[in-house]
Amino acid sequence: MPQSYDVFMLNRRVKFRPFLEDFNEENVVLHESELQLLDPTERMLRELPTMLKRSPRLDNVTIYARDLDQVWMTFCSGYQELAAAGGVVQDEDGHVLWIQRNGKWDLPKGKLESGESLEEAAVREVEEETGISDLEITGEAFTTFHTYEQDGVILLKTTFWYPMRHRGTQTRGVPQSIEGISDVTWLTSPFPEEVLNKTFGSIRTVLDELL
């Protein structure tokens, strides 16, 4: 299967896909809720965040490219990149570990420290943010990309999510308040709508992939 990339911008998924032979040769296809680009220029890629801000109903963006890797590298070059790692943690009864961070439901993750492997960073961040230990990585990482602005700098974060098992059942956690975390809790799937409605699109994707 050809390579593809998904990046979340303003909590909306932007899909990078290989060119399809039956794609409309028009360079831009734009509707109120849908945008398709074919072989976008560097300028078009740079203006994506502005377009999304100005179009709150635009929720389906797909970029098709004949040289997808080159277009993806051009897109990434417009951002300062950083890496993070985290986990989708299940206990022995299948409950999933969630946190509330700055009013949003989220999964524990954080930036890599110097000299750390991805696996080490993922376990450390889960332990620090939730107070939950006795963790074991049980599979390969799933990767997500998202952009955000911090101190006037636009960042592209790559997060490596590992499936993990906690040796225990609904162990009481300790939220890392210095990181804006107010709650640590275990939930069972299917998750309540009030949780899913207050999380990020990328988190839904991670859960679909790793659970």
Side-chain angles (χ1 to χ4, degrees):
M1 185 176 184
Q3 176 68 292
S4 62
Y5 305 93
D6 289 5
V7 58
F8 285 84
M9 309 177 73
L10 300 177
N11 206 28
R12 282 174 275 179
R13 188 200 304 252
V14 177
K15 296 176 284 189
F16 289 73
R17 298 291 186 266
F19 173 76
L20 301 175
E21 292 300 329
D22 60 352
F23 184 80
N24 191 322
E25 287 294 331
E26 295 279 341
N27 186 252
V28 177
V29 179
L30 178 61
H31 304 288
E32 185 176 38
S33 63
E34 180 180 7
L35 172 67
Q36 296 179 346
L37 301 177
L38 171 60
D39 289 334
T41 64
E42 181 177 357
R43 179 179 178 180
M44 293 166 71
L45 293 171
R46 190 171 61 246
E47 291 177 349
L48 268 176
T50 301
M51 186 178 299
L52 289 169
K53 287 179 182 178
R54 292 176 176 174
S55 308
R57 295 185 181 180
L58 182 60
D59 58 10
N60 186 3
V61 180
T62 307
I63 293 170
Y64 294 100
R66 293 179 176 88
D67 188 344
L68 183 60
D69 287 337
Q70 182 59 51
V71 169
W72 175 250
M73 286 190 291
T74 301
F75 170 79
C76 293
S77 69
Y79 298 87
Q80 180 175 316
E81 296 185 65
L82 57 88
V88 177
V89 183
Q90 291 183 280
D91 69 8
E92 293 176 341
D93 287 340
H95 300 93
V96 177
L97 184 63
W98 286 79
I99 61 174
Q100 272 196 301
R101 189 199 311 266
N102 299 323
K104 283 277 196 178
W105 286 98
D106 203 351
L107 300 174
K109 68 178 184 302
K111 300 173 187 174
L112 272 68
E113 295 183 351
S114 178
E116 274 188 316
S117 68
L118 291 169
E119 293 87 349
E120 290 169 341
V123 171
R124 175 185 56 77
E125 284 292 340
V126 172
E127 291 178 342
E128 289 181 354
E129 293 195 340
T130 68
I132 301 295
S133 57
D134 293 322
L135 300 168
E136 177 187 3
I137 292 177
T138 59
E140 298 296 318
F142 175 70
T143 307
T144 60
F145 304 92
H146 77 276
T147 65
Y148 64 100
E149 186 172 336
Q150 181 174 291
D151 300 326
V153 178
I154 302 177
L155 303 170
L156 172 62
K157 179 182 284 188
T158 303
T159 304
F160 299 86
W161 299 95
Y162 287 90
M164 298 184 189
R165 182 73 64 186
H166 166 62
R167 292 185 292 276
T169 302
Q170 297 192 73
T171 303
R172 184 181 180 86
V174 179
Q176 189 180 27
S177 58
I178 194 173
E179 292 292 335
I181 300 171
S182 58
D183 191 20
V184 174
T185 191
W186 297 92
L187 299 174
T188 55
S189 180
F191 304 111
E193 281 301 312
E194 57 265 29
V195 171
L196 296 177
N197 289 338
K198 293 192 69 177
T199 192
F200 303 99
S202 57
I203 296 299
R204 290 172 176 256
T205 301
V206 171
L207 294 170
D208 288 343
E209 183 70 23
L210 294 183
L211 291 182

